[in-house]
Amino acid sequence: MDAYLKNFGECLQKEPPFCGAECPFHMDMHGFIEKIRKGMWSAAFKTYRNAVGFPRVAAALCHAPCKSVCPLSERGGAVEMALLERACLSFAKDLGATSYNVPAKRGRIAVVGAGAGGLACALRLSAKKYNVEIFEKEDHVGGGLCEILPPDLLAREIEEQFKHEEYELRLSCEIENRSFLNERGFDAVCVATGEGGYDFGLLRAEGDKGDRYCLRDGNTAWFACGALIGDDGIYALSGGLYMGIVIDNFLKTGNLFYPPNAAATRMVLDAARLTDAPAVFPQNGEGYTEDEARGEAFRCLKCQCDACKLYSDLCDFTGKWPLRIRDEIAATTLPGVSEIKATPAKRLLSASNTANICREICPAEIDLEGLILEGRRSMHKQDKAPWAFHDFWLRDMDFADGPEAALCMAPAAAGTCAYAFFPGCQLGAGDPRLVEAAYDALLEKHPDTALLLRCCGAPAEWAGNEDKNAEAVAEIRDAWRGLGEPVMLFACPSCMEILGRRIPEMPLRSLYETLADRGANVPDAGVSAAAPCAPCGEWAIFDPCAARRNAHIKSAVRKLASEAGCKLTPLPVQERVTRCCGYGGQPSAASPEYAAFVAEKRASESALPYIVYCANCKDIFIKAGKECKHILEILFDPPGAVLADKNASLNSPGVPFRLATVTERRHNRAELKRSLLEKYWNGSSADQADRADQDESAARPRLKIGEALLVQMDEDRILEEDVREVVDFCERTGRKVYSEISASYSGYRKIGHMSYWVEYRPTDSEDEIELLRAYTHRMEIALEAVWNGVKTNVDM
C-alpha cells in the first residue's frame, strides 16, 4: 500500500498552467478566468490586484509574456490576457484597496529605494502589518516608473494602494552604508536602489544555496531586488512583491536563503483539449466590451493536467481527483475498528473499474486502479471487506470451477496436445454455442487441441482475495501441466492478461490470432456455408481494456471482421485510449449507477453497432441497449449460414437478442460441459450428471415465476436455485410465516453471506409453487431459543 501511496507524490494535478508559470506574478489564472466568465468583474479584479499589488501600473507595464506559451497560439491565437486584465479595470465597480484587519507583527524592515521593486516590497510587508520604513534619495517616489508611466496615474495608484497601510517614507534620504541601518535595529533590509545603484555588497554575496542576493550583517538580514539585480519593468514589480514574501518568511523562520521567483511547470496538457478557437478582438481597437471579454475568457482552456478527469470514469463520476481518492482510500484502509474511524472509500473501493487506465494516460504514471486493488486486498486481509459487493461473483466462480461446469480434457484422437483452448467462464455462460463453434474450428486446424473450461480467477483478484485467487491459478497451472504444457489459446482477453501475469511460464496466444491464420474462409469450419459470406454492414470494433497493449489481438480481430465483409469505422476515442466497458472489477453490485454511467459513455461513443471480442463487453452493451455482436457471431453465424449441428442460427433474423439470466448462465455452463463431453468424449460423465439432475428435479415441486419477477431477480442476481433452497428450507423446517391477506408464506435462509427472503404460495397443482417475491439483504438475523433453561442460537 505504501508504494502505491508514495507514487501519488508525482501527481501533476496542482502544477500551474503554462500562462501562470510564465506570468511574472504567477497569478491564479484559473480563478481569474472563471470569474470573468461569470461576469464577476469585482472578484476578478481582486484576484488580479492581490497578485500584482499595483493593478494600474501592472496593466500598463504588462507585455503579456503568457502569450508565448499559450497552447492556443496556433489554434486561433493566444488568449489576450492583457486585454482581460484591463477589462477588469474598466468594469469592476470597486477598484479601491482592501483594508485587512490583521494584528501588528513584530519586526522592523527598511526598504532602500522607492522604485517599482521597493514600493512593491513595502506594500506587501506593510499589508502584513510589519513596521516598514522607506528610504528614497530623490524627492519623489517611483524611480524608473516615472519615465514610463504618466505621473498622475503613478501617483494616484501609489496613493490608492497604500491608503490603508501604515509606513514611514523618508525622501531625499540617501543610505550609503549598512551600519546606518544596522545600528537602528532593523531586522531586515530590502535594497532596491535601481540599475547601477549602491548594492551594499549584496551583488558580491554568494550563499551556500546559490547566488541569491542576501547576506546577514549582525542581527540584520539584507536582501536585494528590482533593477539592481537585473529585473526591470514588470519583473521589478513582481520581484519586489516576492521579496516581501521572502522577508516575511525570514522573520518567521530565520531562513535567510530562498528559491528563485520562478514557477516552472511540469504540467502536460492532453491533446484532446486543443480545439481551434478564433481570438476575440475588440471592435473599437482599444479595449473589450463586457461580452467580448467574456467571449475571450471562454476561449481559455484553463490548462491543467487533467487526463485522469478526461479518461478515468471513476474521477468523472465522483467528481474527485486522484489525490482526493488516494486520501479517502488511505483513511479507509488504515488498520483500526471501522466503528470508531472514518471509512469514506469503503464503497468506492468496490465501485470502480480496475482497468489501469490512469497509469496508461497519466504523464506521471499514477496507478490509481493499482491503489484500488491494493486497497481491496488490504480490506480483505483486515476482514473489513464489504463481502456483499463480491459475494455473487465469488460464488459464480466456485460454480464455474466446480464439477457441474469445469472440464479439462485432452483431445480423444490425439496422444499429446500442442494447444489447449481456454474460452473463459463468461463466453459459455452467455452463449455456449460460440464456444463449441470455436472449438470445432480449432480442431479442424489443430486436432491436438485440448479443452479447459473454468474461471481464470478474476473475481477473486478483483475482490482482493489473494488466497482464493492463488488457489484458482494453481489449479489452472496444474491442469496445464497435466496436458503437457501446451500453448494456451484464449477467447477472453481478460483471462489471457490475468493468467499471463500470474503464470508467466505459460505460452499464450489469442483465439483470434489463430483463426486469422486460416485466411478469409474462417466460417467454413463447423459452419455450413454454401454461398460466400455477404457484407454485413458498417461496424465499429470496441477493444476491451485487457487488450489495450496487445496489438496482435486487435489486428487479428480487424482482419477477421474485414474478411467477413464488415466495413469498419474506428471509434474516435476508444481507438486511442482503450477504456473499460464497465465490467472490469465488477463494480455493479457496489454501485449500479456507476456501472450504468460507464456503459452509457462507451455505448454512446458511436451510433454504429459494435463488434466486440470480450463476452463481458457484449453483455454490458446489450444490457445498455447498444446493438452489438461478438466477433465469433460474425464468423460462425453469417447470413445464410448456420452452425453445423444446429437447425437455427445463433440469433434468428427478426428476433431481438435476449441476454441469459444469471440462472440461465449457470445452466448454459453445465449444458456446455454436457454437450462437449457427449460430442467428443462419448458423454459418459454427462449422462450421469443428467440422470442425477433429473432425479433431484423430479422430487421437488416446480417454481412458477412471473416474467416481471424473473427480471427483478436477474437484476438483483438472485438465482432460481437459491430461491428453491429457501423454499425447501421453509417447507422442511416449518420456519415460515403465513399471511391471511395474500394467502402466502414468507421465510428466509442465509446462503453464503446473504440472507434470502421469499414469499410464495401453493397453486392448484400439487407439484407447483408460485413465487410472489424474492429479495436479499446483508443483515444476519440472530434468534435465540430456550431449551431446558439454556439460551441457544438458532441456525437459520
Side-chain angles (χ1 to χ4, degrees):
M1 179 67 74
D2 290 342
Y4 285 100
L5 294 173
K6 185 178 180 181
N7 175 239
F8 278 74
E10 299 298 316
C11 180
L12 307 180
Q13 174 199 339
K14 297 182 180 180
E15 287 291 303
F18 304 117
C19 54
E22 193 67 19
C23 173
F25 303 98
H26 312 306
M27 184 170 67
D28 174 15
M29 296 296 189
H30 288 169
F32 180 68
I33 288 293
E34 187 62 27
K35 289 163 186 172
I36 292 180
R37 287 179 175 180
K38 295 178 179 178
M40 300 167 61
W41 296 107
S42 294
F45 170 75
K46 289 181 180 179
T47 298
Y48 179 55
R49 185 200 57 211
N50 291 342
V52 304
F54 298 93
R56 294 179 182 85
V57 173
L61 293 177
C62 183
H63 60 286
C66 54
K67 293 179 67 174
S68 65
V69 295
C70 180
L72 292 178
S73 295
E74 298 180 0
R75 297 272 186 162
V79 174
E80 295 289 345
M81 197 65 69
L83 289 177
L84 293 177
E85 293 165 359
R86 293 166 196 164
C88 285
L89 294 172
S90 299
F91 305 128
K93 293 181 179 180
D94 180 10
L95 298 180
T98 301
S99 176
Y100 295 102
N101 184 18
V102 179
K105 291 185 174 66
R106 297 177 59 185
R108 294 185 64 210
I109 300 105
V111 177
V112 182
L119 288 172
C121 180
L123 177 64
R124 189 67 84 208
L125 290 168
S126 61
K128 292 179 179 291
K129 307 309 177 186
Y130 286 105
N131 188 333
V132 177
E133 290 186 42
I134 305 173
F135 298 86
E136 170 56 49
K137 70 176 183 177
E138 303 293 341
D139 60 358
H140 62 274
V141 299
L145 293 177
C146 297
E147 301 174 5
I148 303 173
L149 302 175
D152 58 337
L153 182 152
L154 181 59
R156 187 170 70 252
E157 181 72 342
I158 293 173
E159 180 182 359
E160 174 64 35
Q161 300 309 321
F162 274 102
K163 71 179 183 180
H164 297 301
E165 313 307 340
E166 295 184 5
Y167 65 99
E168 292 188 37
L169 174 61
R170 302 184 185 276
L171 297 175
S172 302
C173 183
E174 184 173 6
I175 308 300
E176 296 181 341
N177 56 71
R178 293 203 298 262
S179 60
F180 177 83
L181 297 178
N182 289 344
E183 292 169 0
R184 283 161 176 75
F186 286 103
D187 298 291
V189 177
C190 173
V191 178
T193 52
E195 183 178 2
Y198 188 54
D199 66 1
F200 298 90
L202 283 166
L203 296 187
R204 298 182 295 278
E206 293 188 3
D208 59 356
K209 295 186 180 180
D211 57 346
R212 306 291 175 265
Y213 304 108
C214 55
L215 57 81
R216 188 188 294 270
D217 188 357
N219 294 325
T220 305
W222 289 70
F223 302 87
C225 71
L228 176 66
I229 63 172
D231 291 340
D232 58 4
I234 198 78
Y235 294 99
L237 190 65
S238 66
L241 293 169
Y242 179 62
M243 191 51 58
I245 296 173
V246 169
I247 294 174
D248 178 44
N249 182 65
F250 163 74
L251 294 174
K252 291 177 179 176
T253 67
N255 184 17
L256 184 67
F257 299 101
Y258 56 92
N261 182 24
T265 183
R266 298 182 299 145
M267 195 202 73
V268 178
L269 183 67
D270 192 272
R273 294 276 306 275
L274 294 174
T275 56
D276 292 333
V280 178
F281 295 104
Q283 288 186 354
N284 62 14
E286 296 181 0
Y288 284 137
T289 64
E290 291 193 45
D291 289 341
E292 288 172 341
R294 293 184 64 196
E296 182 67 0
F298 274 105
R299 286 185 64 239
C300 178
L301 300 175
K302 295 182 68 176
C303 297
Q304 189 171 19
C305 186
D306 59 358
C308 49
K309 292 293 286 285
L310 288 174
Y311 300 112
S312 167
D313 296 313
L314 182 64
C315 293
D316 187 14
F317 180 75
T318 61
K320 298 176 181 178
W321 290 86
L323 289 177
R324 167 78 178 275
I325 295 174
R326 173 205 62 183
D327 293 342
E328 292 185 0
I329 291 176
T332 301
T333 57
L334 190 70
V337 181
S338 61
E339 286 79 2
I340 60 174
K341 76 178 191 70
T343 55
K346 197 166 187 177
R347 181 178 293 271
L348 181 144
L349 276 169
S350 295
S352 58
N353 300 122
T354 54
N356 285 326
I357 187 62
C358 275
R359 187 178 62 187
E360 293 293 326
I361 52 89
C362 176
E365 297 185 354
I366 301 299
D367 192 359
L368 177 61
E369 290 82 6
L371 175 65
I372 288 170
L373 266 179
E374 186 63 25
R376 292 183 185 184
R377 297 186 194 108
S378 176
M379 295 290 282
H380 182 80
K381 290 176 183 176
Q382 298 179 56
D383 198 27
K384 296 192 299 184
W387 42 260
F389 298 152
H390 298 280
D391 183 68
F392 172 81
W393 309 110
L394 293 174
R395 291 178 61 210
D396 195 55
M397 173 180 163
D398 290 339
F399 181 87
D401 291 343
E404 293 183 73
L407 182 65
C408 178
M409 300 291 284
T416 60
C417 52
Y419 301 92
F421 179 38
F422 193 101
C425 61
Q426 298 301 325
L427 183 62
D431 196 329
R433 291 171 293 178
L434 293 179
V435 175
E436 190 170 336
Y439 190 47
D440 285 344
L442 289 173
L443 288 176
E444 180 177 290
K445 184 172 179 62
H446 300 293
D448 56 348
T449 301
L451 183 65
L452 183 55
L453 299 180
R454 61 179 302 127
C455 178
C456 67
E461 177 172 289
W462 292 339
N465 191 335
E466 283 293 282
D467 291 340
K468 188 175 184 68
N469 180 248
E471 180 182 343
V473 171
E475 291 178 1
I476 293 172
R477 181 186 286 108
D478 292 343
W480 168 66
R481 287 174 175 169
L483 293 171
E485 301 186 358
V487 175
M488 297 291 285
L489 304 178
F490 290 90
C492 174
S494 292
C495 295
M496 185 173 178
E497 188 277 328
I498 289 172
L499 293 181
R501 179 164 33 86
R502 295 282 184 170
I503 312 177
E505 69 272 23
M506 178 186 287
L508 313 173
R509 197 170 194 236
S510 77
L511 165 69
Y512 313 107
E513 293 172 83
T514 305
L515 293 179
D517 288 345
R518 295 176 47 81
N521 198 29
V522 175
D524 64 3
V527 175
S528 173
C533 178
C536 39
E538 187 175 3
W539 298 77
I541 289 182
F542 183 91
D543 296 302
C545 54
R548 181 181 296 126
R549 293 187 174 185
N550 197 321
H552 298 295
I553 297 182
K554 294 180 180 180
S555 177
V557 171
R558 283 158 176 77
K559 178 182 177 183
L560 290 169
S562 296
E563 291 175 348
C566 298
K567 178 183 177 182
L568 302 178
T569 298
L571 290 172
V573 179
Q574 191 71 6
E575 293 273 341
R576 181 169 56 89
V577 182
T578 307
R579 294 177 290 178
C580 183
C581 66
Y583 183 88
Q586 294 170 330
S588 56
S591 179
E593 299 83 5
Y594 171 73
F597 169 80
V598 177
E600 176 59 29
K601 283 183 67 176
R602 297 297 95 80
S604 62
E605 187 171 337
S606 172
L608 292 174
Y610 287 173
I611 293 175
V612 300
Y613 46 104
C614 168
N616 299 321
C617 291
K618 178 188 172 182
D619 292 346
I620 289 291
F621 289 134
I622 293 295
K623 187 174 182 180
K626 179 72 175 178
E627 185 179 354
C628 175
K629 276 198 174 186
H630 197 286
I631 184 63
L632 295 179
E633 293 178 272
I634 300 290
L635 298 180
F636 299 116
D637 191 25
V642 296
L643 292 179
D645 62 333
K646 301 293 181 183
N647 295 320
S649 61
L650 295 180
N651 282 314
S652 301
V655 179
F657 185 88
R658 183 182 69 81
L659 287 175
T661 66
V662 290
T663 297
E664 291 169 340
R665 295 177 74 84
R666 288 201 174 184
H667 291 168
N668 284 345
R669 290 192 188 117
E671 175 58 30
L672 175 62
K673 176 179 178 178
R674 294 188 187 97
S675 177
L676 291 171
L677 284 172
E678 181 180 349
K679 185 173 183 178
Y680 297 109
W681 293 281
N682 300 322
S684 57
S685 298
D687 293 340
Q688 294 174 5
D690 282 339
R691 284 195 296 271
D693 285 348
Q694 291 170 3
D695 292 343
E696 182 180 357
S697 298
R700 308 164 75 182
R702 296 191 309 273
L703 278 180
K704 178 183 177 182
I705 307 176
E707 186 64 30
L709 183 55
L710 280 172
V711 171
Q712 178 250 309
M713 288 172 56
D714 185 56
E715 291 178 350
D716 294 343
R717 300 179 188 85
I718 299 176
L719 298 166
E720 292 178 37
E721 289 88 341
D722 292 336
V723 171
R724 163 62 66 185
E725 182 177 340
V726 179
V727 172
D728 289 348
F729 174 80
C730 293
E731 290 296 300
R732 184 177 70 254
T733 63
R735 291 175 183 165
K736 55 186 179 181
V737 177
Y738 181 72
S739 169
E740 294 184 351
I741 297 175
S742 59
S744 63
Y745 295 95
S746 297
Y748 79 97
R749 178 165 175 72
K750 185 179 179 183
I751 302 175
H753 290 290
M754 304 293 286
S755 293
Y756 288 76
W757 285 82
V758 297
E759 181 182 354
Y760 63 96
R761 63 187 173 199
T763 66
D764 295 337
S765 175
E766 294 182 358
D767 60 348
E768 183 179 74
I769 291 177
E770 181 182 7
L771 187 68
L772 302 177
R773 283 201 306 160
Y775 61 95
T776 65
H777 59 64
R778 289 173 281 170
M779 292 186 293
E780 181 177 356
I781 299 176
L783 299 179
E784 290 182 339
V786 178
W787 299 94
N788 296 324
V790 179
K791 290 185 177 180
T792 306
N793 288 329
V794 177
D795 181 15
M796 297 299 287

